[in-house]
């Protein structure tokens, strides 16, 4: 279209040639700009669509995951089995509370995020004049709301089941505690009644007491079980019991007292068996010796150590030098660290010079009564008995049928001594 000399070899290029030349450049670059614009426009559209697609895919994937998790939790609750103990129900309650403050809050946050994400998707599509987004079936907002409503209903059912089982298990726990406590008290009452009615021959009494001690021994294990139940009741916030009035402290005290009573009764019968063979002891002497022994047996062990034995002898008016006492104690204890009640009684019998027999007492009454078969108050006063002794005998002896002012000492002695 152009000659070189029209442009280059002249002081003033031809105007039409220059315009032609520039027009060619314009057409070339103009077509290139349209291609670039079209490319940029398509690229921007593709980027927008990719972003929208990613958001839509993310929404559907997250909704599917949330609905699946919600339904899995409901299935878990439907399959829950409660063990018949309060601790299991309490654990289920704690787990549910943990779910409410942990997993449920995470899900709530996720649901809000999904609602926001769906709104952003729809806004973006409106901005670019795109059709509204319709999630796949089962992943729509309506599906998510339905799953959320089902979860709320399932939570109510599960909480109700837990609360009902907590009440049932607490009642069962109270019943177990009541049964155990009442059972212990029943055993204690039975033992106390048997002790109160104890009588008969000493051998029979000893056998009965031994049986009662055997009956009382399982109470230690029963009290341990009751103590464990009390701890469980405390964990279950049970302050008052509906099926018993006995606390662990009450029963422990009663059991301790009952065991001590049994031990004392067993020692008493054992001591009486020993005394029974001491035919030369008067009732007054026996009571004095026994009372002295019990007084100095501080730990109720039914034996006396050297200090206790010496104190008992001193209280009865029998004093020994240190060497005499050491030899005596070594002899009586046979080299051990204590003296038994039987050894003590036998020694006191040997030590007591005035051994009064029933026959001697009968003879004494006859002397005071001047060979009458009854004795009067004046007779007793003339015998120089102490006022307390006279008062006791007047209370203890039955009236005589032979004289208005007489007392039947024969009947009294027959009642005091076994024949």
């Amino acid at each position: 279209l152009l000659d070189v000399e029209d442009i280059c070899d002249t002081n003033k290029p031809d105007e039409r040639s220059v315009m032609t030349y520039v027009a060619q450049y314009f057409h070339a670059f103009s077509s290139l700009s349209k291609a670039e614009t079209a490319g940029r426009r398509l690229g921007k559209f593709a980027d927008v669509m990719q972003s929208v697609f990613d958001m839509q895919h993310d929404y559907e994937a997250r909704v599917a995951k949330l609905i699946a998790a919600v339904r899995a939790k409901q299935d878990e609750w439907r399959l829950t089995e409660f063990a018949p103990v309060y601790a299991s129900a309490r654990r289920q309650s704690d787990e549910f509370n943990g779910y409410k403050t942990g997993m449920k809050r995470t899900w709530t946050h996720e649901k809000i995020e999904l609602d926001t994400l769906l709104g952003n998707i729809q806004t973006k599509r409106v901005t670019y004049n795109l059709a509204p987004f319709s999630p796949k079936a089962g992943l729509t907002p309506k599906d998510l709301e339905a799953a959320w409503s089902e979860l709320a209903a399932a939570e109510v059912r599960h909480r109700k089941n837990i609360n009902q089982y907590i009440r049932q298990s607490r009642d069962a726990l109270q019943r177990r505690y009541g049964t155990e406590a009442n059972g212990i008290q029943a055993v204690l009452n039975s033992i106390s009644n048997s002790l109160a009615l104890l009588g008969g021959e000493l051998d029979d009494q000893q056998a009965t007491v031994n049986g009662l001690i055997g009956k009382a021994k399982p109470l230690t294990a029963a009290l341990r079980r009751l103590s464990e139940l009390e701890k469980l009741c405390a964990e279950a916030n049970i302050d008052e019991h509906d099926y018993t009035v006995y606390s662990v402290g009450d029963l422990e005290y009663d059991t301790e007292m009952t065991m001590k009573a049994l031990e004392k009764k067993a020692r008493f019968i054992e001591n009486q068996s020993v005394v029974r063979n001491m035919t030369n002891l008067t009732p007054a002497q026996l009571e004095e010796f026994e009372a002295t022994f019990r007084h100095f047996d501080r730990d109720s062990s039914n034996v006396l150590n050297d200090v206790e034995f010496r104190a008992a002898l001193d209280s009865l008016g029998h004093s020994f030098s240190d060497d005499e006492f050491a030899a005596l104690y070594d002899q009586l204890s046979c080299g051990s660290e204590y003296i038994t009640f039987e050894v003590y009684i036998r020694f006191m019998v040997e030590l007591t010079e005035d051994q009064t027999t029933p026959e001697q007492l009968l003879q004494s009454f006859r002397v005071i009564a001047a060979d009458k078969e009854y004795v009067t108050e004046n007779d007793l006063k003339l015998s120089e008995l102490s006022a307390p002794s006279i008062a006791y005998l007047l209370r203890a002896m039955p009236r005589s049928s032979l004289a208005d002012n007489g007392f039947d000492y024969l009947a009294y002695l027959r009642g005091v001594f076994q024949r």
Side-chain angles (χ1 to χ4, degrees):
L1 295 177
L2 298 174
D3 292 329
V4 175
E5 56 272 15
D6 292 336
I7 300 300
C8 297
D9 296 336
T10 182
N11 292 329
K12 184 180 179 180
D14 181 67
E15 184 176 336
R16 289 174 296 180
S17 297
V18 172
M19 289 299 294
T20 301
Y21 193 62
V22 171
Q24 293 298 318
Y25 274 102
F26 173 77
H27 289 300
F29 286 113
S30 177
S31 61
L32 179 61
S33 176
K34 291 179 179 179
E36 289 178 351
T37 299
R40 285 196 303 271
R41 184 173 296 152
L42 287 175
K44 185 177 181 180
F45 178 77
D47 291 342
V48 170
M49 293 304 296
Q50 182 63 49
S51 173
V52 171
F53 173 81
D54 290 342
M55 292 171 68
Q56 294 173 175
H57 177 73
D58 183 45
Y59 174 83
E60 291 181 337
R62 289 165 64 181
V63 168
K65 183 178 180 181
L66 179 56
I67 291 177
V70 165
R71 289 175 176 167
K73 176 56 70 174
Q74 294 177 62
D75 291 339
E76 176 188 328
W77 289 339
R78 278 193 294 270
L79 297 175
T80 297
E81 294 183 359
F82 294 97
V85 291
Y86 173 81
S88 174
R90 183 73 261 174
R91 185 173 58 255
Q92 291 290 344
S93 179
D94 292 341
E95 289 177 358
F96 183 74
N97 292 335
Y99 151 80
K100 293 282 287 183
T101 58
M103 183 179 293
K104 177 62 180 297
R105 291 182 181 180
T106 300
W107 289 351
T108 300
H109 179 266
E110 175 68 356
K111 183 176 180 299
I112 294 173
E113 289 288 311
L114 287 171
D115 291 340
T116 302
L117 177 58
L118 180 62
N120 292 342
I121 292 172
Q122 302 295 24
T123 298
K124 202 163 191 177
R125 293 183 72 91
V126 169
T127 300
Y128 292 97
N129 296 316
L130 302 175
F133 169 58
S134 297
K136 296 177 183 178
L139 303 177
T140 66
K142 185 179 293 186
D143 295 323
L144 180 57
E145 287 300 328
W148 203 251
S149 297
E150 292 173 2
L151 176 64
E155 287 175 348
V156 172
R157 289 194 299 272
H158 192 58
R159 178 79 269 178
K160 183 177 180 180
N161 290 337
I162 290 174
N163 291 341
Q164 181 180 1
Y165 197 79
I166 285 178
R167 289 191 293 270
Q168 292 175 351
S169 58
R170 291 179 79 230
D171 184 72
L173 186 58
Q174 288 193 77
R175 287 180 183 274
R176 287 176 57 197
Y177 181 93
T179 299
E180 191 75 47
N182 293 336
I184 293 173
Q185 188 61 49
V187 173
L188 292 174
N189 292 342
S190 174
I191 292 174
S192 297
N193 292 336
S194 298
L195 277 177
L197 298 174
L198 192 62
E201 296 294 329
L202 289 177
D203 292 342
D204 295 336
Q205 291 187 37
Q206 186 67 60
T208 300
V209 171
N210 290 339
L212 294 176
I213 292 175
K215 187 177 183 179
K217 284 182 178 179
L219 293 178
T220 301
L223 284 170
R224 282 199 299 268
R225 292 193 301 270
L226 188 66
S227 181
E228 290 299 320
L229 286 173
E230 187 178 56
K231 292 178 182 178
L232 294 176
C233 288
E235 293 173 0
N237 297 319
I238 299 174
D239 299 323
E240 300 294 336
H241 294 284
D242 297 334
Y243 302 100
T244 185
V245 297
Y246 306 113
S247 68
V248 173
D250 295 337
L251 294 173
E252 285 177 341
Y253 178 80
D254 290 352
T255 299
E256 181 182 0
M257 293 299 100
T258 299
M259 293 302 297
K260 286 184 177 179
L262 286 171
E263 292 170 1
K264 287 183 179 180
K265 192 65 176 180
R267 287 195 297 270
F268 179 79
I269 294 173
E270 179 183 347
N271 293 347
Q272 292 303 306
S273 297
V274 171
V275 171
R276 181 178 55 184
N277 299 321
M278 307 298 179
T279 56
N280 291 327
L281 284 178
T282 66
Q285 289 174 317
L286 173 59
E287 176 61 28
E288 183 182 20
F289 294 159
E290 279 192 285
T292 302
F293 184 90
R294 288 194 300 270
H295 176 76
F296 290 100
D297 180 19
R298 300 294 188 185
D299 58 357
S300 299
S301 58
N302 211 37
V303 296
L304 299 178
N305 59 31
D306 56 347
V307 175
E308 294 169 337
F309 180 52
R310 186 158 196 171
L313 292 178
D314 289 341
S315 70
L316 293 170
H318 303 291
S319 299
F320 297 87
S321 67
D322 291 343
D323 292 339
E324 289 173 339
F325 178 79
L328 174 64
Y329 186 79
D330 185 63
Q331 175 187 354
L332 295 178
S333 65
C334 298
S336 66
E337 298 181 355
Y338 55 83
I339 290 177
T340 65
F341 179 79
E342 181 177 1
V343 171
Y344 163 81
I345 290 295
R346 291 188 182 280
F347 173 71
M348 295 310 300
V349 170
E350 295 174 0
L351 189 63
T352 304
E353 295 179 353
D354 184 13
Q355 298 179 345
T356 306
T357 65
E359 289 74 19
Q360 291 172 324
L361 287 174
L362 177 60
Q363 183 61 34
S364 296
F365 268 113
R366 283 177 176 166
V367 171
I368 292 174
D371 290 329
K372 301 190 300 292
E373 292 185 2
Y374 61 90
V375 66
T376 65
E377 181 177 358
N378 190 53
D379 292 334
L380 295 175
K381 290 180 178 179
L382 292 175
S383 68
E384 298 184 359
L385 284 172
S386 66
S389 296
I390 293 175
Y392 164 74
L393 289 173
L394 292 178
R395 289 196 308 271
M397 291 187 298
R399 288 281 184 177
S400 173
S401 60
L402 301 177
D404 293 338
N405 63 342
F407 295 86
D408 192 344
Y409 62 84
L410 295 174
Y412 167 72
L413 291 177
R414 284 196 297 270
V416 170
F417 296 103
Q418 296 182 0
R419 295 294 183 182

